[in-house]
């Protein structure tokens, strides 16, 4: 298993600004992911955070809007850029570990854009 | 394109009832199916993971079954308690860690 922490836990931001969310894992993991959960919706994968290379984005998500860093095997950041009210969501970091492709999730960051 | 649906969307039951949550998926080429619990405003807690070669997994009062050929999974909760109130999500994976999530079932257990 893995213990994951995220900072901040919540934030209220103004339209047009950017917010960087941090994800810290208590052990080295190869696979780290970022998900978004819009109000009343289920989770959608934004991207895979690759250590030492650029993130791999899912359809509908682009690097300019959601730049991701992965400087080592225990840490990643997701930036939500030029925010609009539509970006109001819970953003969750997850890691994949073990041979069974099980995923573990952080507590999430609740973002409100006004 | 894989789609995951959960029925019912919401459920309210008196304490002590046994209940079944349903999950269906359109593409049977999955490696794993995982059930999660999400409490309001919080992250996800993994409940049970079933590999495609397995038919069921049990943990305490929870039992999850998988019928891959028909694209269905069920989560059985025995003797429900108010502390079980949460949203339950199922998710499927093709062995890439890229899970596709269902729409969720909001469960409320009344004391």
């Amino acid at each position: 298993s893995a213990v994951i922490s995220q900072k901040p836990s919540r934030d209220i931001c103004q339209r047009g600004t950017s917010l960087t969310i941090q994800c810290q894992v208590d052990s080295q993991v190869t696979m780290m992911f970022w998900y978004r959960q819009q109000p009343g919706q289920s989770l959608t994968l934004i991207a895979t955070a690759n250590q030492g290379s650029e993130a791999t984005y899912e359809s509908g998500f682009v690097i300019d809007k959601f730049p991701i860093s992965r400087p080592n095997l225990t840490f990643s950041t997701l930036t939500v850029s030029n925010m609009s009210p539509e970006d109001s969501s819970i953003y969750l970091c997850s890691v994949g570990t073990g041979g069974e492709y099980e995923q573990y999730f952080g507590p999430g960051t609740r973002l409100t854009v006004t | 394109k894989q789609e995951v649906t959960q029925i019912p969307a919401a459920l309210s039951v008196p304490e002590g009832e046994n209940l079944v949550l349903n999950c269906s998926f359109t593409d049977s080429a999955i490696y794993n199916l995982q059930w999660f619990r999400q409490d309001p405003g919080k992250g996800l807690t993994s409940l049970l993971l079933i590999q495609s070669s397995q038919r069921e997994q049990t943990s305490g009062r929870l039992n999850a079954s998988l019928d891959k050929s028909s694209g269905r999974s069920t989560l059985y909760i025995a003797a429900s308690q108010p502390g079980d109130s949460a949203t339950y999500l199922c998710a499927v994976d093709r062995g890439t860690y890229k899970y596709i999530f269902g729409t969720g079932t909001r469960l409320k257990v009344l004391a």
Side-chain angles (χ1 to χ4, degrees), chain A residues 12-69:
Chain A
I12 301 173
C13 301
Q14 297 226 341
R15 182 195 300 259
T17 62
S18 298
L19 176 72
T20 295
I21 302 168
Q22 298 179 4
C23 175
Q24 180 75 52
V25 189
D26 68 340
S27 58
Q28 293 187 340
V29 293
T30 304
M31 311 296 288
M32 292 183 75
F33 305 89
W34 288 97
Y35 285 82
R36 179 177 74 179
Q37 186 176 30
Q38 294 178 298
Q41 307 279 326
S42 193
L43 280 75
T44 302
L45 179 63
I46 298 173
T48 303
N50 301 308
Q51 196 268 328
S53 63
E54 277 197 3
T56 305
Y57 290 83
E58 298 300 307
S59 176
F61 297 96
V62 295
I63 186 172
D64 289 346
K65 177 67 177 178
F66 298 102
I68 289 171
S69 78

Side-chain angles (χ1 to χ4, degrees), chain A residues 10 31 33 35 37 41-45 48 56 58 90 92 95-108 110, chain B residues 6 31-32 34 36 38 40-46 48-49 51 54 89-90 93 95-104:
Chain A
R10 58 177 60 221
M31 311 296 288
F33 305 89
Y35 285 82
Q37 186 176 30
Q41 307 279 326
S42 193
L43 280 75
T44 302
L45 179 63
T48 303
T56 305
E58 298 300 307
I90 299 174
L92 298 112
V95 303
T97 185
E100 296 181 348
Y101 298 96
E102 190 166 1
Q103 279 214 355
Y104 299 91
F105 283 80
R110 180 180 290 273
Chain B
Q6 291 184 245
Y31 187 88
N32 277 339
Q34 199 165 350
F36 295 88
Q38 184 175 31
K42 297 188 178 180
L44 276 66
T45 302
S46 176
L48 289 165
L49 179 145
Q51 291 185 304
Q54 300 172 324
L89 296 164
C90 73
D93 168 46
T96 62
Y97 287 108
K98 295 184 179 182
Y99 276 82
I100 297 173
F101 279 80
T103 46

Side-chain angles (χ1 to χ4, degrees), chain A residues 6 17 19 23 34-35 55 57-58 70-71 76 84 86 89 93-94 103 109:
Chain A
Q6 286 186 233
T17 62
L19 176 72
C23 175
W34 288 97
Y35 285 82
Y57 290 83
E58 298 300 307
R70 179 85 192 273
S76 178
S84 67
E86 291 71 35
S89 298
C93 167
S94 76
Q103 279 214 355
T109 296

Side-chain angles (χ1 to χ4, degrees), chain B residues 64-91:
Chain B
S65 67
L66 174 64
D67 185 343
K68 189 177 147 183
S69 60
S70 67
R72 293 180 182 177
S73 176
T74 60
L75 179 66
Y76 176 83
I77 303 177
S80 58
Q81 303 171 357
D84 295 329
S85 299
T87 296
Y88 290 80
L89 296 164
C90 73

